[in-house]
Amino acid sequence: MTESHIRSAGAGHHCNRMNRTKGFARAMKLAQRAKDKRGGNDKQPDGFDRSTPDALAQWLDGYLESLTVRNYAATTVEHRRYILILFLAWAAERDLTRGGQITRPVLETFQRWLWRYQKPNGQRLGWSTQREHLSSLKDWFRWLTRQNVLLANPASELELPRPEKRLPQEVLTVAEVNRLVTVPDVADPLGVRDRAMLELFYSCGLRRAELCRLELSSFHADRRTLHVRGKGNKDRVVPVGWRAVQWLERYLVEVRPRLCLDTRTQALFLTGYGGAFNPDVLSRMVSAWLARAGLRRKGCCHILRHTCATHMLENGADIRFIQQLLGHENLDTTAIYTQVSIKQLQEVHARCHPSARAEAEPPAVPEGPKGGDGAAVASGSIGSAV
């Protein structure tokens, strides 16, 4: 008997049991809260001075607006804002609030400060993060120069840190993936939703923001495909595995209609408030599931993306198909998985390296001289050498 038959046979009893569950009842209480009582990630005033015509904060607003006009993704614009706000805060502490005050030595001082900067958890910024901060800064000052706010670009000669080539280390085994996806309590409607999200992460190798942006029209059950909008608003169509399809269809039939508070809401996965997920909330949820599964790993949603790519490569998938699945613009980005997955290299090593074969004989250990005179000579030789 298939899972769909079991689900149909016990649908009435299952729904009654789901109505009594704690998680869904709590979600219904959250949905009744007024919007101003729900919390969230609303933007707060940054408090920077915008009173003068050449105020840096004022020109930051103009720069971000220009990115929007040039059709940059909203997430990209927000990320640039977050990065450049850090520079503005650093500059404001040193009374550097106008564009004309920023020189190359000032930017080099900021670069050294960025290298020493520690996050709230005490860790320093990685080299790639530092490059990202400085690259955004260079682009902003290039734009300021083109707008004739500055006569010369102080960031034009700023040298970026050398790039690193890091390999993803946190990859789960198939057994660990199976342990993780069974963590959500599927007797609870929210557990069904959470199981569907985990299955989709692993099956399609999605980024967390991509899953948050999925809409009802994104999923094609008859073709078992998913229409994904990736970085830079680039679309791609990816296949969905059978197991993920089963859980996604169950969520759409049994759970989503009860979470939806407005029929105009198009988001595929809904929170207890009836809206789309915030990527940071999704990260906290996956981190909690990993901990409950006993999997102490760094990161969260991206672990399943790395795991999806690695498992496909180990089972013989061509690197170009993995590139299409993950939505990588550059094949070099996908090529890191050929180094993470060393299964084929291990097989070649075991087959070709003389010391790796099971029948390889251990090297003979040379025997030392035996007897009185020989031992004395050897002893004397060692003593002389020492």
Side-chain angles (χ1 to χ4, degrees):
M1 182 178 290
T2 65
E3 184 178 351
S4 59
H5 291 149
I6 296 174
R7 187 169 65 245
S8 301
H13 175 70
H14 183 70
C15 288
N16 290 333
R17 187 173 71 250
M18 290 170 74
N19 284 327
R20 297 195 301 267
T21 55
K22 180 179 177 182
F24 190 72
R26 183 173 179 272
M28 292 301 95
K29 289 184 179 180
L30 291 176
Q32 295 171 4
R33 287 184 181 177
K35 290 187 177 180
D36 59 340
K37 302 289 185 182
R38 294 183 180 183
N41 298 309
D42 295 336
K43 293 181 182 178
Q44 300 297 326
D46 53 38
F48 294 118
D49 179 29
R50 289 175 169 81
S51 59
T52 58
D54 61 343
L56 281 171
Q58 181 171 314
W59 284 106
L60 174 60
D61 298 338
Y63 169 69
L64 297 176
E65 183 181 2
S66 76
L67 294 179
T68 304
V69 170
R70 287 181 279 160
N71 197 29
Y72 277 70
T75 51
T76 301
V77 176
E78 183 59 26
H79 190 58
R80 292 280 180 92
R81 186 187 77 85
Y82 169 78
I83 285 176
L84 295 174
I85 282 292
L86 181 64
F87 171 74
L88 284 186
W90 175 87
E93 289 179 355
R94 292 153 180 81
D95 294 326
L96 303 172
T97 59
R98 299 190 304 276
Q101 295 176 296
I102 307 301
T103 62
R104 178 179 170 183
V106 168
L107 294 178
E108 290 174 343
T109 302
F110 172 72
Q111 183 174 8
R112 289 191 294 271
W113 176 86
L114 199 64
W115 174 69
R116 292 190 298 266
Y117 175 78
Q118 290 185 345
K119 295 182 286 186
N121 61 5
Q123 296 181 352
R124 289 188 173 183
L125 299 177
W127 291 112
S128 60
T129 305
Q130 293 179 47
R131 281 181 59 89
E132 190 175 10
H133 276 256
L134 296 173
S135 295
S136 299
L137 204 59
K138 285 170 71 74
D139 188 69
W140 182 31
F141 278 96
R142 188 183 305 116
W143 180 83
L144 287 173
T145 307
R146 289 200 302 265
Q147 301 301 313
N148 295 321
V149 178
L150 301 175
L151 296 178
N153 183 1
S156 61
E157 302 298 325
L158 194 63
E159 296 186 15
L160 302 182
R162 294 179 61 189
E164 290 184 320
K165 188 176 181 181
R166 292 291 187 92
L167 300 179
Q169 298 177 350
E170 306 297 334
V171 176
L172 304 178
T173 64
V174 174
E176 288 174 331
V177 171
N178 292 334
R179 195 159 84 230
L180 173 62
V181 297
T182 56
V183 167
D185 180 11
V186 294
D188 186 318
L190 299 187
V192 174
R193 177 202 64 190
D194 298 345
R195 175 69 184 266
M197 290 194 297
L198 282 174
E199 293 284 1
L200 213 56
F201 267 132
Y202 176 56
S203 178
C204 304
L206 300 177
R207 302 179 178 96
R208 62 175 191 170
E210 292 172 346
L211 187 136
C212 293
R213 285 196 294 263
L214 291 176
E215 297 183 351
L216 279 171
S217 59
S218 302
F219 176 55
H220 302 279
D222 53 340
R223 291 180 289 176
R224 287 170 52 185
T225 60
L226 200 64
H227 192 105
V228 181
R229 173 146 292 185
K231 283 186 175 181
N233 293 330
K234 297 181 178 68
D235 291 351
R236 67 184 187 276
V237 178
V238 300
V240 185
W242 180 86
R243 194 170 72 181
V245 167
Q246 297 296 307
W247 283 103
L248 191 51
E249 288 182 333
R250 177 173 171 180
Y251 160 74
L252 290 172
V253 172
E254 299 178 5
V255 181
R256 192 186 182 281
R258 302 164 67 187
L259 291 173
C260 186
L261 304 178
D262 187 343
T263 55
R264 294 171 296 182
T265 303
Q266 292 300 309
L268 179 61
F269 290 107
L270 301 179
T271 67
Y273 291 125
F277 274 92
N278 178 287
D280 292 334
V281 173
L282 203 56
S283 291
R284 291 194 291 268
M285 292 172 64
V286 176
S287 293
W289 294 329
L290 284 166
R292 287 172 57 188
L295 304 172
R296 303 297 176 182
R297 297 287 199 279
K298 295 180 181 178
C300 45
C301 304
H302 234 60
I303 294 176
L304 290 169
R305 179 172 166 86
H306 292 323
T307 301
C308 167
T310 304
H311 288 180
M312 288 192 63
L313 189 65
E314 289 179 344
N315 285 285
D318 186 271
I319 189 70
R320 293 195 176 273
F321 291 118
I322 299 176
Q323 177 191 11
Q324 183 179 351
L325 178 69
L326 299 182
H328 287 158
E329 187 171 354
N330 193 331
L331 187 62
D332 291 341
T333 308
T334 317
I336 63 172
Y337 295 105
T338 63
Q339 301 174 53
V340 174
S341 173
I342 64 168
K343 183 178 180 180
Q344 295 179 353
L345 179 59
Q346 287 176 322
E347 293 174 354
V348 173
H349 185 269
R351 186 172 66 251
C352 302
H353 198 284
S355 68
R357 293 195 292 269
E359 66 274 10
E361 297 181 358
V365 179
E367 296 184 0
K370 297 180 180 179
D373 294 340
V377 171
S379 177
S381 299
I382 295 175
S384 302
V386 175

